């Protein structure tokens, strides 16, 4: 799980790096060594800053909505960031993989988003700053009918509004 | 021989066959199924036909009436000859060919009938008011014969008549005349198909029906989903929404005037009602959480649905007249995909309260909850047959999806089909056929996936794709149009 998260995290970081420095050929093609904190990084307090430097998503096991210690660490970083930037609100999007029925997955996505929201609230974040929405299996993050894609789609993503 | 006696009377008993009472689907549309009194009067007055049939009844050996017993498992398709309906002009001839073509396709698709190629017909000079030369039809092993004619009524309407004969029993079985405007000719053909189906199987047909579903297009991670509606044979296809808003799980009201479904308007997933007459969409109630998985009650006065809030999903009903909301389940689990029994006394739903998704029934007020599925795997999307005798469901086991049926007490479980993903069965109004969607796996580039509608007989035979213009999911079969 940790490895998967890191690879996604790194990929997001790489994407961001490419966007901010399109001519920097050195940053392309080497995901493993992508520098997460480039000097010309995202603006602090921005959605990009949150996604790149904090980590915007937590992953779940199959048909699960419990948060592992690792995922709690991600949410603790999110809470720390949200305390720094009090004017920011987030929507937590809950998702499910395609290996369930549509209606049940809508409920499961809601349960995952709620699990992430509840943990942030327990860390002192005002519940008024957090909304949730479930997309069930309708808006997959990763395409492909394979375990790797499914793991990325069992997710709650905090989107800065 | 009671059936022969009845047939000899031609008019009276056969006329008593329940004919669909027409309620317009579109205001302009008009089909007035009516029995041709004149036709029967002429037959009766003619004497020859009556005499011939009565004579057969008197001297012929007692023959079993032509009948397909569809309560049994697989049946061999019954060979049927359907002649192109005749017309006096090129226009009516064209309509006659169209109508008989629709009837043939309907009956053939049911899996219960096999059409005999018209090129094999021996008798080509059937007189509409006469009796066919049964021997000519026995030679080609036609068990049943249908012929008909189309005539103009002068005011832009057409008269469509048919006759159904039992070839080996040498009996007249059914016949009716329908009046149709040009726009309702297909419906007239579906109504005649239903009459033939009912006369031979003893059960109501399902051809004069529609299907609402979700049309899908676009890339795998951003699918465009639209409400769409079509006749059960795919004709008259229409998109009801533009695809800019995510919509899911449409279900018909029993009156067919409305569809309840889930939509993400303003990025808030909630249950809506779509009025087919006006095109208006209305959010259902003001709930503090996400509402989804809606279905109408059998009388159409309530919608049963789920609400998810704070990680918990429970089942509610809303009375559409009083707007009163009633909570039926109260657990920390996911209780969803609820549907009423046809008598509205019970509700079946799936819940993970026992650890994994299983099927439960309860009284319509939420009392007397009973778990009914006990097999390996997860069980979901239960739907009660309109006949009340079976519950169809989706089962997920060993990384595969299946569609199956069980009795309402959970006994007699049978799996009908399976695949990488098959989901969401919906019953034909006569409880004989299930429609569902089947999805193929997607590769790493998001290619190769996509869902299509399929139907299968409740016996597990005759699985076939229901062709749609785009990919398709979440089908819901309408009641019979009346």
């Amino acid at each position: 799980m940790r490895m998967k998260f890191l690879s996604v995290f790194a990929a997001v970081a790489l994407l961001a790096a490419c966007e901010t420095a399109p001519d920097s050929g050195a940053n392309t093609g080497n995901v493993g060594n992508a520098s997460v904190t480039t000097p010309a990084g995202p603006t602090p307090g921005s959605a990009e800053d949150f996604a790149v430097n904090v980590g915007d998503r937590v992953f779940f096991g199959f048909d699960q909505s419990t948060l592992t210690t690792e995922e709690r660490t991600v949410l603790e970083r999110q809470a720390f960031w949200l305390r720094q930037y009090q004017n920011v609100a987030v929507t937590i999007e809950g998702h499910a993989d395609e290996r369930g029925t549509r209606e049940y997955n809508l409920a499961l996505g809601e349960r995952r988003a709620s699990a992430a929201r509840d943990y942030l609230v327990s860390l002192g974040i005002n519940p008024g700053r957090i909304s949730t929405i479930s997309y069930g299996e309708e808006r997959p993050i990763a395409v492909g009918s394979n375990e790797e894609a499914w793991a990325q789609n069992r997710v709650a993503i905090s989107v800065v509004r | 021989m009671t059936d022969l006696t009845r047939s000899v009377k031609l008019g009276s008993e056969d006329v008593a066959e329940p004919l669909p009472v027409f309620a317009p689907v579109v205001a302009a549309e008009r089909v007035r199924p009516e029995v041709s009194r004149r036709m029967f009067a002429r037959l009766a007055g003619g004497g020859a036909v009556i005499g011939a049939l009565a004579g057969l009844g008197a001297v012929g050996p007692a023959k079993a009436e032509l009948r397909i017993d569809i309560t049994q498992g697989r049946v061999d398709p019954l060979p049927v000859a359907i002649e192109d309906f005749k017309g006096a002009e090129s226009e009516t001839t064209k309509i006659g060919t169209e109508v008989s073509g629709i009837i043939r396709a309907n009956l053939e698709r049911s899996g219960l009938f096999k059409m005999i190629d018209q090129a094999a017909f021996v008798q080509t000079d059937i007189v509409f008011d006469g009796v066919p030369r049964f021997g000519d039809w026995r030679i080609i092993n036609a068990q049943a014969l249908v012929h008909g004619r189309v005539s103009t009524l002068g005011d832009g309407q057409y008269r469509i008549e048919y006759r159904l004969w039992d070839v080996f029993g040498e009996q007249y079985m059914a016949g009716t005349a329908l009046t149709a405007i040009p726009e309702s000719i297909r419906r007239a053909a579906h109504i005649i198909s239903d009459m033939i189906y009912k006369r031979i199987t003893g059960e109501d047909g399902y051809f004069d029906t529609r299907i609402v579903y979700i049309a899908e297009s676009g890339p795998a991670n951003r699918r465009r989903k639209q409400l769409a509606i079509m006749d059960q044979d795919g004709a008259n296809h229409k998109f009801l929404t533009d695809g800019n808003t995510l919509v899911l799980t449409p279900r018909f009201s029993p009156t067919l005037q409305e569809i309840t479904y889930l939509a993400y308007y303003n990025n808030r997933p909630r249950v809506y009602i779509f009025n087919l007459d006006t095109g208006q969409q209305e959010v259902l109630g003001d709930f503090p959480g996400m509402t989804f998985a809606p279905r109408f009650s059998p009388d159409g006065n309530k919608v049963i649905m789920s609400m998810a809030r704070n990680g918990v999903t429970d089942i509610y009903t809303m009375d559409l007249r009083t707007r009163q909301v009633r909570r039926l389940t109260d657990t920390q689990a996911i209780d969803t995909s609820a549907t009423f029994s046809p008598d509205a006394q019970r509700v079946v739903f799936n819940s993970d309260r026992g650890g994994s998704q299983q099927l439960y029934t309860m009284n319509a007020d939420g009392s007397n909850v009973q778990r009914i599925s006990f097999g390996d795997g997860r069980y979901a999307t239960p739907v009660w047959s309109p006949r009340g005798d079976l519950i169809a469901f989706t089962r997920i086991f060993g990384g595969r999806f299946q569609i199956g049926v069980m009795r309402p007490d959970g006994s007699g479980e049978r799996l009908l089909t399976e695949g990488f993903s098959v989901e969401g069965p919906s019953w034909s109004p006569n409880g004989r056929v299930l429609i569902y969607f089947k999805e193929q796996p997607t590769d790493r580039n998001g290619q190769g996936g996509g869902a299509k509608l399929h139907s299968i007989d409740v016996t597990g035979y005759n699985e076939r794709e229901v062709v749609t213009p785009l990919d398709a999911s979440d089908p819901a079969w309408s009641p019979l149009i009346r």
Side-chain angles (χ1 to χ4, degrees), chain B residues 161-417:
Chain B
E161 300 167 84
Y162 82 97
R163 296 282 172 80
L164 167 65
W165 300 89
D166 173 354
V167 170
F168 284 78
E170 302 197 348
Q171 294 180 34
Y172 169 85
M173 292 185 81
T176 288
L178 310 185
T179 305
I181 58 169
E183 294 77 26
S184 55
I185 283 167
R186 293 196 70 92
R187 277 205 63 203
H190 291 314
I191 290 168
I192 292 172
S193 307
D194 281 331
M195 289 171 169
I196 294 169
Y197 181 97
K198 179 165 190 180
R199 190 64 183 87
I200 294 178
T201 68
E203 299 193 24
D204 284 331
Y206 55 88
F207 302 117
D208 189 23
T209 55
R210 305 171 93 185
I211 288 163
V212 64
Y213 72 98
I214 299 296
E216 302 192 6
S217 55
N221 58 343
R222 290 183 52 190
R223 292 291 268 177
R224 185 182 183 86
K225 300 191 180 182
Q226 296 173 260
L227 269 185
I229 192 168
M230 61 186 181
D231 296 349
Q232 55 79 27
D233 63 352
N236 294 315
H237 188 279
K238 202 163 85 173
F239 294 108
L240 300 175
T241 62
D242 60 15
N244 291 328
T245 299
L246 176 61
V247 291
L248 298 168
T249 63
R251 317 290 181 196
F252 272 107
S253 76
T255 63
L256 275 96
Q257 303 308 308
E258 292 172 325
I259 291 164
T260 183
Y261 66 110
L262 169 66
Y264 278 67
Y265 289 108
N266 303 316
N267 232 13
R268 281 185 68 187
R270 291 185 289 177
V271 170
Y272 285 75
I273 288 185
F274 187 104
N275 187 309
L276 284 171
D277 292 334
T278 63
Q280 295 225 316
Q281 297 164 62
E282 178 200 354
V283 68
L284 195 59
D286 183 20
F287 291 85
M290 168 176 71
T291 50
F292 62 107
R295 280 179 196 268
F296 282 97
S297 61
D299 65 5
N301 290 331
K302 282 182 197 160
V303 168
I304 192 165
M305 60 188 148
S306 308
M307 182 180 76
R309 194 185 178 208
N310 298 332
V312 172
T313 297
D314 282 309
I315 295 166
Y316 295 76
T317 55
M318 175 179 253
D319 190 305
L320 297 175
R321 297 158 304 180
T322 63
R323 299 275 144 174
Q324 195 185 346
V325 173
R326 181 169 191 166
R327 183 175 187 159
L328 300 189
T329 66
D330 188 0
T331 67
Q332 292 303 301
I334 291 175
D335 297 334
T336 189
S337 300
T339 57
F340 280 101
S341 62
D343 65 5
Q345 298 301 300
R346 301 278 289 168
V347 168
V348 65
F349 61 102
N350 59 250
S351 173
D352 67 349
R353 60 182 66 186
S356 76
Q357 263 174 296
Q358 297 291 337
L359 305 185
Y360 295 78
T361 57
M362 63 184 170
N363 290 343
D365 64 359
S367 64
N368 190 20
V369 177
Q370 290 172 7
R371 178 171 163 177
I372 62 164
S373 68
F374 293 94
D376 293 329
R378 296 185 287 154
Y379 288 76
T381 73
V383 273
W384 222 297
S385 160
R387 297 153 64 111
D389 57 345
L390 292 171
I391 288 168
F393 56 82
T394 305
R395 177 178 181 244
I396 306 169
F397 178 65
R400 305 283 285 178
F401 282 53
Q402 292 137 357
I403 303 285
V405 292
M406 61 173 65
R407 294 193 197 97
D409 65 0
S411 65
E413 179 176 336
R414 276 190 297 126
L415 297 174
L416 306 180
T417 184

Side-chain angles (χ1 to χ4, degrees), chain A residues 99 102-103 117 134 138 145, chain B residues 225 264 337 399 423 442 474:
Chain A
R99 303 312 286 160
R102 205 167 242 187
E103 290 176 338
R117 194 257 328 268
S134 173
E138 310 306 321
S145 299
Chain B
K225 300 191 180 182
Y264 278 67
S337 300
E423 181 182 335
T442 310
D474 282 347

Side-chain angles (χ1 to χ4, degrees), chain A residues 70-89:
Chain A
E70 295 160 62
E71 307 312 321
R72 283 171 191 240
T73 308
V74 174
L75 291 169
E76 284 155 15
R77 286 207 303 273
Q78 290 187 7
F80 181 81
W81 189 89
L82 286 166
R83 276 195 296 270
Q84 269 186 290
Y85 303 103
Q86 290 287 341
N87 58 332
V88 173

Side-chain angles (χ1 to χ4, degrees), chain A:
Chain A
M1 184 58 69
R2 182 75 299 180
M3 288 307 289
K4 274 168 195 147
F5 171 70
L6 281 177
S7 67
V8 171
F9 192 80
V12 169
L14 178 64
L15 267 175
C18 288
E19 281 166 17
T20 50
D23 296 326
S24 169
N27 267 347
T28 57
N30 195 340
V31 173
N33 293 333
S35 172
V36 169
T37 48
T38 49
T43 313
S46 68
E48 198 182 19
D49 176 38
F50 183 75
V52 173
N53 296 324
V54 178
D56 62 352
R57 61 196 64 192
V58 289
F59 298 94
F60 300 88
F62 177 72
D63 199 16
Q64 296 294 315
S65 58
T66 48
L67 295 162
T68 63
T69 312
E70 295 160 62
E71 307 312 321
R72 283 171 191 240
T73 308
V74 174
L75 291 169
E76 284 155 15
R77 286 207 303 273
Q78 290 187 7
F80 181 81
W81 189 89
L82 286 166
R83 276 195 296 270
Q84 269 186 290
Y85 303 103
Q86 290 287 341
N87 58 332
V88 173
V90 292
T91 297
I92 304 180
E93 300 176 351
H95 297 268
D97 69 30
E98 65 184 1
R99 303 312 286 160
T101 48
R102 205 167 242 187
E103 290 176 338
Y104 179 83
N105 277 341
L106 289 168
L108 184 58
E110 197 276 341
R111 194 191 250 172
R112 286 172 174 161
S114 293
R117 194 257 328 268
D118 290 351
Y119 194 60
L120 288 177
V121 170
S122 78
L123 297 171
I125 305 302
N126 182 344
R129 296 173 64 195
I130 311 169
S131 63
T132 60
I133 185 170
S134 173
Y135 288 106
E137 61 179 283
E138 310 306 321
R139 290 277 181 269
I141 313 309
V143 296
S145 299
N146 56 73
E147 185 48 53
E148 198 184 342
W150 295 334
Q152 289 188 53
N153 294 331
R154 298 190 290 261
V155 66
I157 305 176
S158 303
V159 178
V160 172
R161 292 187 261 138

